[in-house]
Amino acid sequence: MTNLLRSMAIETGLSEVIVQRIMQSAPNRYKHYSIEKRSGGKRLISQPAIEVKLLQRAFVSLYLSKLPVHAAAIAYRPNKSILDNALPHVSSGSILKMDFKDFFPSIRKAHWMNYCAEFGIFETQSERELAASLLFHRPKGSSVMQLAIGAPSSPTLSNVLMYKFDEIISSEVATDKVIYTRYADDLTFSADRSWNLVDVERIVKKTLQNISYPKLQLHPSKTIHVTKKFSRSVTGLILANDGRVTIGKKRKRIIHAATHAASLGRLDDRQLQKLAGMLAFVHSVEPSFIALLERKYGFETIKGLQKIGANDRRNLRAAVGEADFGT
């Protein structure tokens, strides 16, 4: 374990003894809480301890960031957003969307161990085991180690372990001139005609059945097929029939109303922060709508709201940074 421990110690500034102790005990050093899902039900969040987060981020920098991620995987990548996930599909006529059930919790320690053995990641089994202890957590009452929703290493690791799946699917559907992208657990396929998409679901199910890792299941109720006759959305963005990607009329009405209220001084601090967040989102997706708001409500009003959002993000980053290092 010498090479792994030495590299992690140098990266974090901790001693090898402390690094080893934290990594070995990491699976049990999580706080668990639930949040409401927009679709109903609850999602379990598992938040690693400060020192575990520190080592997980170091591991991402030293190792996971160097491993291949397929081009079809858009989420959790630098300078990529939901807009980059939607743009490849904007000129297609038909869209097929699928969703994985319990995506992160379905990715297990065994899948990482198989990946390491297949591609020769780390020289010894003991190093692979130690890395797994850092990357996976053990839910209370369970003997299975799985990816935690809340660990900073989980997003990157999910993309790494999904490489083979993404590669197979991209290659298979391309024979029918189908475009494929994946944003975390959301799979999007598009083609000029609906008939091009006929075999996609069969290909995905067959691949999931045959692939050695990770072992995932589709969410049957979230498989949706839409054409240009209906509103086509990809990861929350609307594909307009004129080739544009837009935030949609409903969001625009909400933002218009909130901006109008803000211009009259009718929003409290919490509402202003929420509006600032929406404007930041719009600016990254449809900046022309920001220009429209500036013309209607004034340049200074919109820039003032954007400044609130920028300050909030800076304060959040500072707070998170302090918490992560225990200051």
Side-chain angles (χ1 to χ4, degrees):
M1 291 184 280
T2 307
N3 291 335
L4 172 59
L5 289 176
R6 182 183 299 120
S7 297
M8 292 288 285
I10 293 171
E11 182 75 8
T12 61
L14 302 174
S15 71
E16 291 185 33
V17 172
I18 295 298
V19 168
Q20 183 174 14
R21 187 180 303 163
I22 295 172
M23 292 178 76
Q24 288 175 333
S25 61
N28 301 314
R29 300 172 81 159
Y30 285 77
K31 291 182 179 180
H32 309 284
Y33 59 94
S34 297
I35 60 172
E36 299 290 335
K37 292 182 180 180
R38 285 183 297 175
S39 57
K42 293 185 177 181
R43 175 177 284 109
L44 177 66
I45 305 297
S46 299
Q47 192 76 25
I50 294 169
E51 61 276 13
V52 175
K53 279 186 183 179
L54 174 65
L55 293 191
Q56 287 173 338
R57 290 196 173 102
F59 193 90
V60 171
S61 177
L62 286 171
Y63 300 105
L64 295 184
S65 64
K66 310 296 194 301
L67 298 176
V69 172
H70 198 275
I74 307 299
Y76 318 129
R77 301 183 68 179
N79 303 314
K80 296 287 185 181
S81 69
I82 57 173
L83 178 61
D84 297 288
N85 190 56
L87 283 172
H89 306 283
V90 71
S91 298
S92 299
S94 295
I95 302 286
L96 177 63
K97 298 189 292 183
M98 299 181 186
D99 188 281
F100 286 128
K101 183 179 180 182
D102 299 326
F103 182 52
F104 275 12
S106 296
I107 299 177
R108 309 291 175 82
K109 171 188 172 182
H111 303 152
W112 163 252
M113 299 300 287
N114 289 343
Y115 178 90
C116 288
E118 183 176 355
F119 295 102
I121 309 299
F122 298 118
E123 295 180 358
T124 66
Q125 184 72 2
S126 57
E127 283 188 318
R128 295 170 185 172
E129 288 281 354
L130 189 61
S133 292
L134 177 64
L135 298 172
F136 296 85
H137 82 118
R138 185 181 293 108
K140 189 175 181 179
S142 174
S143 61
V144 177
M145 291 176 62
Q146 60 192 44
L147 274 194
I149 303 173
S153 52
S154 292
T156 304
L157 183 54
S158 70
N159 274 344
V160 168
L161 295 180
M162 287 295 290
Y163 184 90
K164 183 181 288 186
F165 173 86
D166 291 332
E167 184 177 45
I168 293 172
I169 296 300
S170 294
S171 176
E172 290 283 330
V173 302
T175 61
D176 287 324
K177 299 181 180 179
V178 174
I179 298 169
Y180 162 65
T181 63
R182 180 179 60 82
Y183 199 91
D185 57 349
D186 290 327
L187 286 65
T188 304
F189 304 87
S190 67
D192 288 339
R193 299 287 183 268
S194 294
W195 63 264
N196 294 98
L197 299 170
V198 169
D199 289 332
V200 168
E201 189 170 356
R202 177 188 61 80
I203 291 170
V204 171
K205 289 180 178 179
K206 182 181 177 181
T207 302
L208 290 174
Q209 183 178 7
N210 294 339
I211 204 167
S212 56
Y213 63 86
K215 291 295 184 181
L216 302 172
Q217 293 183 336
L218 292 173
H219 209 303
S221 63
K222 293 187 178 181
T223 297
I224 302 170
H225 185 194
V226 292
T227 67
K228 282 188 173 182
K229 293 181 180 179
F230 305 94
S231 177
R232 297 170 302 147
S233 67
V234 174
T235 44
L237 299 178
I238 305 301
L239 307 185
N241 290 341
D242 60 5
R244 293 179 300 113
V245 177
T246 173
I247 63 172
K249 293 179 180 179
K250 182 178 179 180
R251 273 204 185 107
K252 288 179 179 179
R253 285 196 297 269
I254 292 171
I255 293 171
H256 258 303
T259 305
H260 177 68
S263 69
L264 299 175
R266 294 176 180 172
L267 299 186
D268 59 28
D269 289 345
R270 185 186 61 81
Q271 291 169 325
L272 285 171
Q273 290 166 0
K274 183 177 180 180
L275 174 57
M278 288 192 290
L279 291 176
F281 167 73
V282 172
H283 189 270
S284 67
V285 174
E286 196 174 354
S288 60
F289 184 61
I290 294 291
L292 186 151
L293 293 174
E294 289 174 350
R295 290 194 297 272
K296 184 165 185 177
Y297 299 105
F299 177 83
E300 293 301 327
T301 297
I302 303 304
K303 289 303 174 186
L305 289 168
Q306 290 176 318
K307 186 176 180 180
I308 291 173
N311 289 338
D312 288 340
R313 288 190 291 278
R314 280 195 293 269
N315 292 337
L316 178 60
R317 281 195 294 270
V320 170
E322 291 172 0
D324 284 349
F325 288 91
T327 58

